[in-house]
Amino acid sequence: MKKSKIISLTIQAAIMVVISLVIILAGIAMSTGEKNERVQDEYSERFCDVLPASSYELVDTDILERYKDISAVYEGYDENGVPVGFVIDIETTVKGEQTLHVLTGITYDGAQLTGIKHEADEKNPVDISDEEINLIASQIVGQQIPVCINTEKDIEVQSDTVVRHLMGLNDGTYFAQAHVADKAGYIDFIEIDVKDGVITRVQWDAFNVDRTTQNRRDAALSGAYSVSGENWAQQSYNLCHALIDCQDPMLLAMKSDGTTDIIPGVTVNIRLFMDLVNECIDYSRAGFDKDAYYAGMDAIFMELFSGTAEELGIYNKDGYIVYSFSDYPNAFDYFVGPEESFEDRPVLEDENKDKNNEINSLEDGVNVGGSSLSTNSIDGIPMSEVRTFIDGCGDVDRTLYVLSPVNISYKFLKEYLNWLA
């Protein structure tokens, strides 16, 4: 066979191989496209009633490991690829064995219920009719979540919740931070707002002496900082809102080990929180606001290092003064107000002696005068977070069967979207 013939045959064979590969790849692409189209058709048929969208994608997150009732979460997108919300496939268990399987649709910000659909494929379904589910759905679809039945609202109003408005609080923003960092390098701080003599905002967080490390709240939400029970950010939120609800930290009933049993979801040690909150309350009564506090810290730095915090370059990006006084344990004994000399300021420990004794007397959940903080919640969500109250279907249990998956969906999205009010 001539050399030219061999070359010709080789070229023809190569062309046939290329053509075959093109056909195979085209077939695979068509098959994949058809499969994706079939999947999207199935998603659309199943989900469009609870969240209309052009396409849906399965959400992959480790957070689902903490929500045993949720089998899958899908994110919906419009025709431009913009996310419009979530569909949550959830099957809750009641009375030990009976279950209710529903799909919930929720807006992308996690604030509003767009739909709820009964899948009706339970092996041992709860005793509730589709008519009752539809009646409840008509009251909650389009409403903000979480949701509660009006009966629960009445219980809260009639409870023995004590709101003790503290005397002598001056309006403003008040601040206190720990003197030394903890073992992880975090310096706790409390910031409160007082308006019309009432505490309206409480923030508990901690910045780190390593300025490349996230604040404890952000680290908790990202998974870089962990504690037993709910994540630290959620526990801080629960504790701060409990204080706003009751106003008086004495009612939080700190036990001798620094924990409390009366605030749902809070398992961390709250002793430092209590100390710093009471410090802020003292400052409010004295009119010693956050600016004055920082001026006092500057006076300490001037005494120790002959420079202000700004001159020493110890502010972090959020504007907090980051310094641990572990090498100067007595520095805060003479905390300086804006009009005081470093030597004239009385020792804070002596000022707070009676107050600290009073706080430590509230051990093991016993409150002064037998009062207690209401621990009303629904599905582990504080009642202060509930946005919608409904009448339901006329039966409390059946109504709660439907509300529970909605509220669990809210809790998941709150964590997934890194919410923290």
Side-chain angles (χ1 to χ4, degrees):
M1 186 179 291
K2 294 182 178 181
K3 184 177 181 180
S4 60
K5 185 67 172 178
I6 294 173
I7 293 174
S8 176
L9 291 173
T10 302
I11 293 173
Q12 292 179 28
I15 292 173
M16 291 299 296
V17 170
V18 171
I19 293 173
S20 299
L21 287 174
V22 170
I23 293 173
I24 291 171
L25 292 174
I28 292 174
M30 291 178 61
S31 176
T32 302
E34 290 174 357
K35 180 180 179 181
N36 289 339
E37 188 174 345
R38 287 197 303 272
V39 170
Q40 286 300 321
D41 286 343
E42 292 173 1
Y43 283 169
S44 181
E45 181 178 358
R46 189 179 175 205
F47 301 152
C48 66
D49 290 340
V50 296
L51 182 77
S54 293
S55 63
Y56 305 87
E57 290 186 9
L58 185 66
V59 172
D60 182 17
T61 172
D62 293 338
I63 296 175
L64 284 172
E65 296 176 3
R66 295 192 285 276
Y67 294 85
K68 60 181 179 61
D69 295 330
I70 300 177
S71 59
V73 177
Y74 304 84
E75 190 166 351
Y77 300 86
D78 66 14
E79 62 277 5
N80 298 316
V82 177
V84 294
F86 298 92
V87 176
I88 298 180
D89 188 342
I90 180 169
E91 186 167 7
T92 54
T93 302
V94 298
K95 297 182 178 178
E97 298 179 354
Q98 296 178 324
T99 60
L100 178 66
H101 185 192
V102 299
L103 300 175
T104 60
I106 298 173
T107 53
Y108 186 69
D109 60 2
Q112 189 178 72
L113 186 74
T114 60
I116 184 166
K117 176 183 177 182
H118 184 203
E119 290 286 82
D121 58 358
E122 305 93 346
K123 293 182 179 179
N124 187 13
V126 298
D127 181 20
I128 186 172
S129 67
D130 284 340
E131 289 75 14
E132 289 173 316
I133 293 175
N134 292 335
L135 176 59
I136 297 167
S138 68
Q139 299 172 52
I140 58 178
V141 172
Q143 302 299 319
Q144 287 191 312
I145 57 176
V147 187
C148 187
I149 191 170
N150 276 318
T151 302
E152 293 294 318
K153 183 178 181 180
D154 293 339
I155 290 172
E156 182 193 26
V157 171
Q158 296 167 9
S159 72
D160 61 352
T161 302
V162 173
V163 178
R164 180 181 300 171
H165 286 229
L166 300 175
M167 301 298 294
L169 298 186
N170 291 298
D171 291 357
T173 298
Y174 301 93
F175 179 87
Q177 69 184 60
H179 303 173
V180 298
D182 65 15
K183 293 180 179 179
Y186 285 106
I187 299 175
D188 288 71
F189 69 86
I190 294 288
E191 185 169 311
I192 69 172
D193 286 346
V194 177
K195 184 177 181 180
D196 298 327
V198 175
I199 298 172
T200 58
R201 182 182 70 92
V202 181
Q203 180 186 7
W204 179 27
D205 203 348
F207 42 79
N208 202 285
V209 292
D210 178 358
R211 298 183 196 177
T212 64
T213 299
Q214 296 173 302
N215 279 12
R216 188 188 287 147
R217 167 192 175 275
D218 294 331
L221 290 172
S222 69
Y225 183 90
S226 61
V227 295
S228 62
E230 296 190 41
N231 72 66
W232 187 90
Q234 182 62 51
Q235 295 199 42
S236 170
Y237 173 86
N238 292 347
L239 184 58
C240 290
H241 275 261
L243 178 58
I244 291 172
D245 288 342
C246 72
Q247 291 292 302
D248 189 343
M250 292 176 65
L251 298 178
L252 299 180
M254 182 178 70
K255 298 163 60 178
S256 56
D257 62 358
T259 61
T260 178
D261 286 336
I262 69 171
I263 305 173
V266 175
T267 57
V268 296
N269 190 304
I270 68 170
R271 188 176 301 282
L272 188 52
F273 170 88
M274 294 285 281
D275 289 344
L276 294 175
V277 163
N278 279 283
E279 193 172 330
C280 285
I281 288 171
D282 280 352
Y283 293 150
S284 175
R285 286 171 170 155
F288 192 72
D289 63 13
K290 184 177 180 179
D291 290 339
Y293 186 97
Y294 269 28
M297 290 190 72
D298 271 338
I300 293 176
F301 291 129
M302 287 297 297
E303 182 73 15
L304 294 176
F305 311 116
S306 301
T308 65
E310 184 175 3
E311 292 167 346
L312 296 170
I314 53 178
Y315 279 101
N316 68 7
K317 63 182 179 61
D318 297 317
Y320 295 109
I321 297 176
V322 181
Y323 188 80
S324 176
F325 288 88
S326 54
D327 293 334
Y328 303 92
N330 299 319
F332 270 75
D333 286 350
Y334 299 96
F335 196 83
V336 181
E339 304 299 331
E340 298 168 334
S341 68
F342 189 85
E343 293 80 6
D344 292 341
R345 177 68 179 171
V347 177
L348 282 182
E349 182 177 323
D350 292 339
E351 291 177 350
N352 296 332
K353 182 177 180 180
D354 292 338
K355 177 198 70 179
N356 290 334
N357 288 339
E358 184 177 34
I359 294 171
N360 292 334
S361 70
L362 297 177
E363 295 184 352
D364 302 322
V366 178
N367 285 310
V368 174
S371 60
S372 63
L373 175 67
S374 172
T375 59
N376 286 335
S377 64
I378 180 168
D379 297 307
I381 301 169
M383 294 298 290
S384 59
E385 284 188 48
V386 174
R387 293 294 175 263
T388 300
F389 290 90
I390 65 169
D391 293 328
C393 66
D395 183 278
V396 172
D397 288 341
R398 288 187 176 90
T399 300
L400 293 179
Y401 294 162
V402 179
L403 297 191
S404 185
V406 173
N407 292 332
I408 293 173
S409 300
Y410 164 84
K411 288 175 65 177
F412 164 78
L413 286 177
K414 180 177 179 180
E415 184 172 358
Y416 180 67
L417 298 174
N418 287 346
W419 289 356
L420 197 67

